[in-house]
Amino acid sequence: MEIKTTRLMPVESRLETIHRPKAVLDLRGLIMHAYHGSRDPDAILAADGRTLVKRASFGLFAFSERYLAPLFEKFAPIDVVCVKEGGNDIRRAIYPEYKAKRAKEKEAQDPRLTEQLSLLISGVEKLMANLGCTMIEVPKVEADDVIAMICHRYPGNVLVHTRDADLAPLACLPNTVVMLGENLVEPEEPITLDGLPVLPRHVTLYKALVGDSSDEYPGVKGVGPAAWQSLVKTYQDEALAGIEKAIMADNRAEVLEAANQYGDKV
């Protein structure tokens, strides 16, 4: 099995070539981070001083200041596509425990918080629609999957803005730039997952093997962060790419061939 990788141009030069891109926003993730990641001076407080509920109006301001204004100032996108969450029915049909605890936590949260978040999301959606942005929601499909489809199928340049590291591999596409929060994802530079440096092109394989506690799905039994570090050291970049390709194709023979080729039986 021949294994090849493609070196991408430095991200600075990629940004120079991606002029006025189509901006694709992972809308709910950005809204929630702006809301929970900023301090509301007029929030509802508990008796011990802890913040219980922030105002929807404050969240709208935080979203605009943290994400919306910099988007237009820095990138001047030709179009903005806001991708909304359509549900996780399809993913849960594959793995029923997917995000199961999150649904229970949402049911148990303070009803005042539920109300303010609902007002916030509705307000941001109305703002973006009135600005002329394209609003997309695919029933039963998570925003991640819709965003990935857009990046793979849209023929022009794309700027993805998200808080979700699951979308970091999209930075490896030749026409796509990914902003992870306020940081630009560089295809040849690692991001941090579980305290470990992981290259964007290895994120999918890492989560498949190690699992994802946030999304509540397990990895391969016995494979954790330490085992991943061992795999990276043993296989290096090219072999890991080949193994991932074989796994995605459900080709056990190629996986074993890659293991034999690179001398490790893990």
Side-chain angles (χ1 to χ4, degrees):
M1 175 177 62
E2 185 179 5
I3 300 172
K4 297 180 179 179
T5 57
T6 302
R7 297 288 292 183
L8 299 172
M9 66 181 78
V11 71
E12 293 81 10
S13 61
R14 294 181 74 221
L15 276 178
E16 291 173 3
T17 62
I18 297 183
H19 176 64
R20 299 206 64 194
K22 179 185 288 291
V24 180
L25 308 187
D26 182 6
L27 194 59
R28 186 179 179 86
L30 296 177
I31 292 172
M32 298 300 282
H33 183 266
Y35 179 80
H36 291 296
S38 302
R39 181 179 176 275
D40 179 5
D42 295 316
I44 299 174
L45 304 179
D48 59 3
R50 290 181 298 107
T51 296
L52 289 179
V53 181
K54 299 175 185 178
R55 295 166 298 145
S57 56
F58 164 79
L60 180 61
F61 173 78
F63 169 80
S64 301
E65 182 180 51
R66 177 169 289 194
Y67 294 118
L68 192 55
L71 172 70
F72 287 106
E73 290 173 4
K74 294 180 181 179
F75 299 102
I78 195 171
D79 184 23
V80 176
V81 177
C82 298
V83 183
K84 301 161 58 177
E85 290 292 344
N88 56 27
D89 304 56
I90 291 179
R91 292 192 179 192
R92 292 197 70 182
I94 298 171
Y95 183 67
E97 296 305 312
Y98 179 73
K99 292 185 178 178
K101 291 180 181 177
R102 268 196 224 183
K104 295 177 182 178
E105 290 171 356
K106 186 176 180 179
E107 292 174 0
Q109 73 184 9
D110 190 316
R112 294 172 296 179
L113 176 58
T114 301
E115 179 187 24
Q116 290 302 306
L117 287 176
S118 178
L119 289 171
L120 170 60
I121 293 170
S122 174
V124 171
E125 290 176 355
K126 289 178 181 177
L127 170 64
M128 301 307 285
N130 288 331
L131 287 173
C133 302
T134 302
M135 311 299 289
I136 296 179
E137 179 181 355
V138 180
K140 302 182 180 181
V141 180
E142 286 203 349
D144 290 14
D145 299 321
V146 178
I147 292 170
M149 183 193 70
I150 292 172
C151 293
H152 280 279
R153 296 188 180 184
Y154 181 66
N157 297 320
V158 179
L159 166 70
V160 174
H161 206 166
T162 183
R163 295 291 314 184
D164 192 345
D166 288 0
L167 293 175
L170 294 175
C172 299
L173 296 175
N175 68 324
T176 302
V177 167
V178 176
M179 290 292 296
L180 191 56
E182 291 84 8
N183 300 313
L184 192 66
V185 177
E186 303 188 23
E188 300 298 331
E189 295 294 330
I191 64 171
T192 301
L193 293 177
D194 300 326
L196 298 178
V198 179
L199 285 171
R201 58 179 165 273
H202 293 159
V203 168
T204 303
L205 182 61
Y206 174 87
K207 294 205 170 191
L209 296 177
V210 178
D212 188 326
S213 59
S214 175
D215 286 344
E216 300 171 49
Y217 61 81
V220 175
K221 186 176 181 180
V223 179
W228 169 261
Q229 288 181 300
S230 176
L231 287 170
V232 172
K233 183 177 179 180
T234 302
Y235 285 102
Q236 303 299 320
D237 183 66
E238 292 190 3
L240 288 175
I243 291 172
E244 180 176 358
K245 182 180 178 180
I247 291 173
M248 294 294 288
D250 196 21
N251 192 327
R252 177 177 172 83
E254 285 197 2
V255 174
L256 294 176
E257 183 181 342
N260 291 328
Q261 180 179 345
Y262 286 86
D264 190 278
K265 302 300 186 289
V266 175

